[in-house]
Amino acid sequence: MASLCYYSSFNVIILVATLLLTNPIDCFGESNQEQEAEKTPKLLFVIGDSLYDPGNNQYFNATEITRQSYSWPYGMNLNHKKATGRASDGFVIPDFIAFCLGITPLQPYLQPGADLAHGANFASAGSGCLDIHPGVMNLKMQLSNLKKVAKSLEQNLNEQKAKQVLKGSVYLIGLGANDYFEFNKNHPNASKSERIKYIHMVLGNLTMGLEEIYEMGGRKFAFQNVGPLGCLPMIKQMYPQLNWGCNNDLLIVARMHNRALSNVLKKLALKFTDFKYSIFDYYSALDERINNPSNHDFTEGKIACCGNGQFNGQDCGGDTAKDFYNLCKEPDDHVFFDGLHTSQRANSQLADLIWSGTPNITGPLNVKQLFELP
């Protein structure tokens, strides 16, 4: 039986209606009434960039980095056919994780009156572990907003109960790509030692953030590592001198980051014996779909559904690009929706791996197992 994380575009619409109108069975095989009977709820908190952003940046002044996803054709496969600020034709990865929990997708934290009953999504397109872009919520600001939620829990419950909620919750984190895009742009001829130094800065900031969450009470962390940055349609299109091939410098720094991230988490687990974590090997999962799309029910792995140029790598949607971009008929056939972001169908598959993937792709625990922990 397929995981609840995976749905076709049509089934996603049916699922949302079902979640709103019925009392579904969640991925643990328990009804919502049984969950509600638990004394301590387990929430989902999301920290990330555009791969996880459900529309937070709409509540900032639009910037060049993020404004395109506010317009058609972004959101074209959602039931209202309108852009929500998600950088996809439909739902993004945390939305599908929410489906697996038997809840509707978390609203943008910055949305006025956002429902925080099941957690909060702080992700912001263009963000990084470092303060690389103005006008977005980088890691520091996302952590600041998480602290506000923790403070609210203390006020509504009490300090002890709030700590228990934070301890039982899962923190889904996907950051790093934008840090390395920025570094590569500013230092195209960086040496290996310079790259290593920068990776230490990125992971140093992330580590400090994790220790802050731990101090608040967080114990269960789920990470998506950095993808094959040099093989994304936009990046390949930016370097025609490479004969439309992948940018090896970005691939190298992504792999270096991922190895270092794994080591950092192992050290944290030794330092804090109750620190539990999951790493989803996004690099390998996405690379596999790029190079072998037909093995995963796609027809196109390298050319985006929406955009312009050799790989449809740029200028999808947005007011300034109106009438100047290509748009495929079936986004579900493509791994990528635009030059940097995966399609809703790809997101559902990736979320399925995060939720219940085996240790060779998501380990040492998967997110389902993290939620099952006390």
Side-chain angles (χ1 to χ4, degrees):
M1 178 178 170
S3 166
L4 286 180
C5 296
Y6 180 81
Y7 284 91
S8 67
S9 296
F10 174 76
N11 283 339
V12 163
I13 297 170
I14 299 302
L15 174 67
V16 172
T18 302
L19 285 169
L20 291 173
L21 296 174
T22 68
N23 177 49
I25 301 299
D26 74 359
C27 296
F28 304 119
E30 297 175 325
S31 70
N32 278 359
Q33 286 101 334
E34 289 170 323
Q35 284 188 324
E36 288 166 3
E38 294 181 356
K39 293 181 180 179
T40 305
K42 296 179 179 180
L43 308 183
L44 174 65
F45 294 107
V46 181
I47 292 172
D49 53 28
S50 55
L51 298 180
Y52 282 6
D53 184 0
N56 274 306
N57 283 17
Q58 296 175 97
Y59 305 99
F60 287 112
N61 290 328
T63 66
E64 183 65 31
I65 295 170
T66 63
R67 69 185 181 194
Q68 285 182 315
S69 60
Y70 306 161
S71 306
W72 174 269
Y74 291 93
M76 62 184 290
N77 269 339
L78 296 176
N79 56 341
H80 46 61
K81 306 292 183 185
K82 293 181 181 179
T84 61
R86 291 172 171 86
S88 185
D89 57 301
F91 289 113
V92 290
I93 286 172
D95 299 326
F96 287 101
I97 299 298
F99 294 154
C100 239
L101 288 167
I103 60 174
T104 53
L106 299 176
Q107 295 172 341
Y109 170 74
L110 294 182
Q111 178 179 308
D115 181 1
L116 305 180
H118 299 291
N121 188 330
F122 308 103
S124 177
S127 64
C129 294
L130 305 176
D131 291 338
I132 51 173
H133 293 140
V136 303
M137 290 192 293
N138 288 311
L139 174 61
K140 183 177 180 181
M141 189 180 294
Q142 293 186 45
L143 289 173
S144 176
N145 287 326
L146 174 59
K147 289 174 185 177
K148 292 177 184 177
V149 173
K151 188 68 176 176
S152 178
L153 284 171
E154 284 185 22
Q155 292 170 348
N156 292 327
L157 301 172
N158 59 48
E159 185 176 356
Q160 183 180 357
K161 288 182 179 178
K163 281 269 189 181
Q164 285 300 111
V165 170
L166 294 169
K167 182 179 179 181
S169 299
V170 171
Y171 302 81
L172 176 63
I173 301 169
L175 283 172
N178 291 316
D179 295 289
Y180 299 115
F181 288 143
E182 193 71 9
F183 179 77
N184 192 68
K185 181 178 73 173
N186 296 329
H187 307 280
N189 300 311
S191 66
K192 182 177 180 180
S193 63
E194 289 171 330
R195 290 176 185 164
I196 292 172
K197 183 178 179 181
Y198 187 77
I199 290 168
H200 286 166
M201 288 174 57
V202 171
L203 290 176
N205 259 30
L206 179 61
T207 301
M208 286 189 291
L210 297 177
E211 291 185 340
E212 286 183 43
I213 298 173
Y214 185 90
E215 181 65 24
M216 282 186 274
R219 295 295 185 268
K220 300 187 289 188
F221 300 85
F223 298 87
Q224 174 173 305
N225 71 15
V226 170
L229 304 180
C231 293
L232 305 184
M234 177 184 284
I235 301 303
K236 290 169 68 175
Q237 197 164 299
M238 288 171 61
Y239 297 94
Q241 65 270 30
L242 300 177
N243 295 318
W244 308 115
C246 298
N247 182 309
N248 198 46
D249 288 342
L250 278 169
L251 290 179
I252 289 172
V253 77
R255 290 194 293 265
M256 289 170 66
H257 168 93
N258 291 343
R259 286 194 294 270
L261 172 65
S262 179
N263 290 333
V264 163
L265 296 178
K266 287 176 183 176
K267 289 178 181 178
L268 284 172
L270 290 174
K271 181 178 180 180
F272 305 114
T273 56
D274 55 352
F275 180 96
K276 305 299 181 184
Y277 70 94
S278 165
I279 305 179
F280 167 50
D281 189 0
Y282 179 57
Y283 186 107
S284 297
L286 184 56
D287 187 64
E288 163 63 21
R289 284 160 176 77
I290 291 170
N291 292 303
N292 301 293
S294 61
N295 291 348
H296 305 279
D297 298 322
F298 299 103
T299 59
E300 179 55 63
K302 298 178 180 178
I303 299 174
C305 167
C306 178
N308 250 324
Q310 183 78 9
F311 299 99
N312 282 344
Q314 295 170 294
D315 299 326
C316 172
D319 296 335
T320 59
K322 186 169 63 177
D323 300 327
F324 295 101
Y325 58 86
N326 303 309
L327 181 63
C328 68
K329 291 183 178 179
E330 295 294 341
D332 279 356
D333 291 341
H334 290 249
V335 173
F336 290 98
F337 181 66
D338 69 9
L340 293 174
H341 305 102
T342 39
S343 65
Q344 174 173 261
R345 187 177 203 180
N347 289 336
S348 69
Q349 292 185 9
L350 297 168
D352 189 47
L353 294 173
I354 291 173
W355 177 258
S356 58
T358 53
N360 63 314
I361 196 73
T362 304
L365 301 170
N366 57 42
V367 170
K368 181 177 185 290
Q369 291 167 333
L370 285 177
F371 269 105
E372 288 171 340
L373 292 174

